[in-house]
Amino acid sequence: MSYFGNVKQIKFEGASSDNPFAYKYYNPAEQINGQSMEQLLRFAVSYWHTFTGEGNDPFGVGTAVRPYDHLSGMELAKARVEASFEFFEKLGVPYFCFHDFDIAPEADSLSETLKNVDVIVDRIEEHLKTSKVKLLWNTANMFTHPRWLHGAATSPNADVFAYAAAKVKKGLEIGKRLGAENFVFWGGREGYETLLNTDMGLELDNLARFFHMAKDYAKEIGFDGQFLIEPKPKEPTKHQYDFDVATGLAFLQKYDLQDIFKFNVEANHATLAGHTFEHELRTARINGMLGSVDANQGDPLLGWDTDEFPTDLYSTTLGMYEIIKNGGLGSGGLNFDAKVRRGSFDVDDLFYSHIAGMDAFAIGAKVAQRLIDDRVLDDFIAERYRSYTTGIGREIVEGKTDFHKLEQHALRIDSIDNNQSGRLEQLKATVNKYLVETFASVHSS
Amino acid sequence: MSYFGNVKQIKFEGASSDNPFAYKYYNPAEQINGQSMEQLLRFAVSYWHTFTGEGNDPFGVGTAVRPYDHLSGMELAKARVEASFEFFEKLGVPYFCFHDFDIAPEADSLSETLKNVDVIVDRIEEHLKTSKVKLLWNTANMFTHPRWLHGAATSPNADVFAYAAAKVKKGLEIGKRLGAENFVFWGGREGYETLLNTDMGLELDNLARFFHMAKDYAKEIGFDGQFLIEPKPKEPTKHQYDFDVATGLAFLQKYDLQDIFKFNVEANHATLAGHTFEHELRTARINGMLGSVDANQGDPLLGWDTDEFPTDLYSTTLGMYEIIKNGGLGSGGLNFDAKVRRGSFDVDDLFYSHIAGMDAFAIGAKVAQRLIDDRVLDDFIAERYRSYTTGIGREIVEGKTDFHKLEQHALRIDSIDNNQSGRLEQLKATVNKYLVETFASVHSS
Amino acid sequence: MSYFGNVKQIKFEGASSDNPFAYKYYNPAEQINGQSMEQLLRFAVSYWHTFTGEGNDPFGVGTAVRPYDHLSGMELAKARVEASFEFFEKLGVPYFCFHDFDIAPEADSLSETLKNVDVIVDRIEEHLKTSKVKLLWNTANMFTHPRWLHGAATSPNADVFAYAAAKVKKGLEIGKRLGAENFVFWGGREGYETLLNTDMGLELDNLARFFHMAKDYAKEIGFDGQFLIEPKPKEPTKHQYDFDVATGLAFLQKYDLQDIFKFNVEANHATLAGHTFEHELRTARINGMLGSVDANQGDPLLGWDTDEFPTDLYSTTLGMYEIIKNGGLGSGGLNFDAKVRRGSFDVDDLFYSHIAGMDAFAIGAKVAQRLIDDRVLDDFIAERYRSYTTGIGREIVEGKTDFHKLEQHALRIDSIDNNQSGRLEQLKATVNKYLVETFASVHSS
Amino acid sequence: MSYFGNVKQIKFEGASSDNPFAYKYYNPAEQINGQSMEQLLRFAVSYWHTFTGEGNDPFGVGTAVRPYDHLSGMELAKARVEASFEFFEKLGVPYFCFHDFDIAPEADSLSETLKNVDVIVDRIEEHLKTSKVKLLWNTANMFTHPRWLHGAATSPNADVFAYAAAKVKKGLEIGKRLGAENFVFWGGREGYETLLNTDMGLELDNLARFFHMAKDYAKEIGFDGQFLIEPKPKEPTKHQYDFDVATGLAFLQKYDLQDIFKFNVEANHATLAGHTFEHELRTARINGMLGSVDANQGDPLLGWDTDEFPTDLYSTTLGMYEIIKNGGLGSGGLNFDAKVRRGSFDVDDLFYSHIAGMDAFAIGAKVAQRLIDDRVLDDFIAERYRSYTTGIGREIVEGKTDFHKLEQHALRIDSIDNNQSGRLEQLKATVNKYLVETFASVHSS
């Protein structure tokens, strides 16, 4: 049986194609810096937005029209598995991601929930045997059900902590069984509504205890996927503990967890925290902590997580620049944590939106690689910081100077007359030029 | 004498040029929809950012290195006139804009200030006789000097109101004399710091009285340039009365000024007010009030007016879409109310940044025109709203129905099953495709 | 049968009370400026947040524990009516407000929805006969159901426009029947997601057509409640047409609707639009358009409508200052468009939160009235603008001057040396002092 | 000679005083929890805002009228010293703070700058011998002069790094000589404008090298004041490296600097970073890193550092709550990094604004202490987290459990039915009640 019968396999047709069901720029086999696009970009589909999401918002119920809308409960869950693999394969993406709660209905009781999950995991396992699609990461939903209303591992209720542990334990077992390459922790309720009722110190200590126990259990069962923290500053919680990459770093260092975790950086979470996407990627990269990416975009004029499909070519270019400089994403990938707008309720929109996002990252990757190949920014930066390669600058970097020597140097020069323009405007024009030239070469190819 | 001796005339060299002192996309003579780019875009240089600005910010003094830095007072003012015309002409822009205070030093006494201005206006007039450059608009600076600390036309001090009238009177006379095509009112101090000390009703009434007197005087002296209000929500004032285009419209209608004014829409002011650039342009356009544009861009993560040179091609494309749909800007233009970053302190950066901005708008204009020529959005929109061209929809638009008939219609259909997807993601991908195809055609040309 | 059996009538017990089920400051009978607090404040309970709301958020399902949770469909709707009147009466509030959709389940078909509504309206009507509680306003929910996904009166689908007309027609009939003192229009979906697919001009024209037809119908049936527009800048829609009071004013003037409407000002919507609560109230007030208030508060660090119960005494004080200066709210009231936090899921929290809000406004009213009685701000402002009562200032206000005379005046004084400090810090300290003194007098009374 | 001849010693006169030159709530000798208010609050005046600041903003020159306005250069610098000590003593504050650049004019050459500084430090030293006033902290201004345009310790220019070292070296020597209790690092230019030209890794490494050398030098000369980092997310720089307390913590831990530094938390910087003041204080406190406070407030609707005098009693109450819970500020204090508004240009406003701020913190301290004495929040929190004191919760805290045991516990309970309401609304009403009762008791005392 087919759920998307009117859609054929999505293929690369090139920039001149007018077929809305074709890639114009994403060519899986095309080489970028010795890798295929498929290997470099490692796209993943989010199960929640694409198969569980209904298009509801705080002021409206769901609008999505899906081929399994007539089903409910476990029948619905099973149909979604079938539909999802048809979708992954028609789209040609190598990966997908899910929360336990996405694939199977959560029940009020833990035992029933775990049973539901097992039934669906069996089905997924069957598909994975025959499909080329793989599981990028799974995670445990610990934010939707009322039991999490004050947090999971940071709940003031120890029973909730235990319940959370059982969910993550199961999640790690599923990850092991399905070959997940990572396990993600997004603490949507790990934070506070008001400090008036919150013991922030205890909550953070407990969160660290939870992570240590999780790692111990992963080791015990031989799950060697990468642990990832996904920072977000707020929403739904007023203040979320994993505010941004830097806040996560402070936490991980304090609790001796820095060797266990990397970050899953989300573009929209970055902007909600007051950063650019590339800033968060850079911060993770220079600390050796860039693990994976939730590829989406926010609306800079809206104050919540809009989770739009990524179409801004500046963002995909500068994001891919960091990723390529990082040597790729390792076991991570570009997961479309993105949802079609409530007004884009057709099944076709699911395809259009993924194509839009994949083409946007393909363009970004090509532009970024050309910027790197031509050393446009590297040469500028090398020249800009050249003073640290000789003389007093080199002594600074090598730790061979002190305030006495530096003062003597400063008094010798006595005033600064060798600052250079930062050339921000010219560099931005250069990025535009590279967009243009890359696209022209794409188009003419 | 030359102030920018090392820079030659900036020319269009095409997309393949690597010359930083050349246009890659702005080709003044190139036709877009029956107009030359020069006629369509009507670029203007801002005297204040480019010749008076020093690169200071709230935490630092000026950094700009300019060829007239050794001068001061009226000697400096005169040198700037010479330098500015050399700059306009080397850049090949058809227009410039200034505040009275930019061209001549403001003194504590009005009489002295007016004298200073006269001397410089004489010089500018001489230049205009022989140059192709024209004055897009001038305005009166009523925000820098301490006398304006509580406002100008909305000051609680009637003497200040009178002083402001004298300045605008002079400004209109200058505009008349120099052939300005518009006169701009930006009320940077027309607003309040706290309602605790503010009679908002009186202040707004006074502002309207001021505008009526200004128009009377313009009529009296035969100045027929377009009056323009430039909205801004805040900064320096906590709340500025001309918050955005809609707020301006409410004010103009209330005080019967709507036939006298149009709007000068600034991109960065739009985003500070919570709108996109294109939203403000659209609002002005559908009310027949789009007069001119302050072409720049803000940083969506910063909460102040950064006045960056416009390089975001989405913004220039969607902005030019509105402008072309408006039938152009009439007597208005694209004025670069933009400043080089404090770290871009070289004279060369002044050229680079204007080239960056002009090329960005040239690209935007070409992409927008192709979107229009191909009716990409027009056809989608026509189809989307087709129900208003027949039947009950047509009756609604033609005013031939009422709640009784509408209820009967609604009860007849009883439920809605004919909504169509808004296709936001596909439309965004289409804009990306047009960027790509336009650039490719630019590049291959 | 009682739904809140453990809660007795909430009474005023004064500031020294420790009873959480008592008012400490709201004393309905206490006189403020010749009115009882009850008459001045005209509190209303929102049916939606208090009886229909479930405590869900974008990342979680409902948490609220309510005495009618075991019911569903029309049985639930009926139970809520009973519970609500018990609640209104125990709280002692004089008013309530509802959307049609709050009181009765909306069906896919219009005819079925209208039937549901009729059944419940019958019940409410019965209650109103015997209760002192009255209906402040009702409205039509045109944002929750999928049919409104592209708007109601601004939908691109004319059938949806007709459906909306039928709903508002019914709403006006209900308002007439139940004696509603106002009818509110909040256009949560009247706006756009992207200009790429939007005919903003047509949509606004249609919105105006809709309003004119609504007024015609109200006149026809003799419904004389005040029409109110409730501005909000965004959420759920990316850009909502009724952005703020000023935007609403521009719209109403353009379409000759300004005599038909006033504004329902919401505190949290004000801050989302970049304004203070008191700014929006002031703007409405000086235009004679202050109709009613949605009393709540936002979190200035969160970018969405948090609809918190109002507890900030600065906001209630400055809000009440505008309301008292307005001569009260006329047919409007203070409607708690506020919801308990998701973590405050108990029934008791419904009482605590309303008590918190009512006490906060009671304090605000008392502080504001003392500021007014003592002419603290009035005298300062009168002195500050005194220059407009004589001489050139008076001529300005009376329209007896022009730019010639003003210039002569300015040249005569030649420089300004009579500006006065705005004393912002001292005025803020004075407000603090009034908070202290008022509370002290409350406490000692 | 007197600079503020018309102002007498500011004294505590109590809540009923109408004297604008008197404290109504700040009573230096009054005991709070065994300390005098003077000892607890440790107020400091900022030299820069109060004596060097001129009331300029990005759109206007200075407006401040000061008794030394007729002076310039070193004469001005000397007069400011005299005026400042008269001000400190009339106000009765125990501390002040300065940047080197505030007290003496910075020259283009380092040697000349150091000479200027020495002359003024001599004068200050003389005053300190006879005055009760002490130096809370000093710091080096490394952001105003053009040489810092790309940063100081993070400049791409090694000469600038050396120049910065010389300035901080001098600063530490001054601190030692004048008995400063702390030394502050605010890196206003330590960040980036664009990642396109920035080697963020090298810049952060260099910043750490700089701090290590600073500490070595402090040790060498025996300066034992506390080192403080003052986080700020942005402004003037687009992205500042010390974004917030958590970001600072991550940096300090990475570079093994956590034992050397504490944080100087500024209220307005907190809100610019998306946090409340109390959040930043709490984060510092639970990490043992709360060093000192820059006491001011921002405007939540404005996106820049407004540095307003603190008058919001919620902010001062919740801030003092954290400070008292921290056991006070140790060697830190409450430094008014706050400036009178540009429109409050009189000398009197300097007094009014400090009185406003000191009274606001005095009230906040009293309310906070009563909340603590009555264990209002402590008891609620203790009860809320009680589950961690016994059974499985205790095992979690004591590290005696693992995912196996937790899963067994969770399966045993199988579903959660013991979550408790967070009572946010009731707690907020309680804070209001404490404001009221405290003020009443202040007033009646």
Side-chain angles (χ1 to χ4, degrees), chain B residues 25 38-39 53 93 117 126 143 150 157 182 213 224 228 240 276 332 342 348 365 371 380 402 421:
Chain B
Y25 312 104
E38 185 171 15
Q39 291 167 318
V93 291
V117 168
E126 282 307 303
F143 47 90
H150 298 311
N157 182 346
N182 309 272
M213 287 191 269
D224 57 1
L228 299 172
Q240 192 167 315
T276 59
R342 192 170 181 269
D348 287 357
L371 285 166
F380 186 90
D402 59 26
S421 167

Side-chain angles (χ1 to χ4, degrees), chain C residues 27-40 366 369:
Chain C
N27 183 356
E30 186 176 336
Q31 297 292 301
I32 291 188
N33 196 27
Q35 273 189 304
S36 71
M37 271 203 192
E38 185 171 15
Q39 289 167 320
L40 174 65
K366 290 173 72 83
Q369 186 61 46

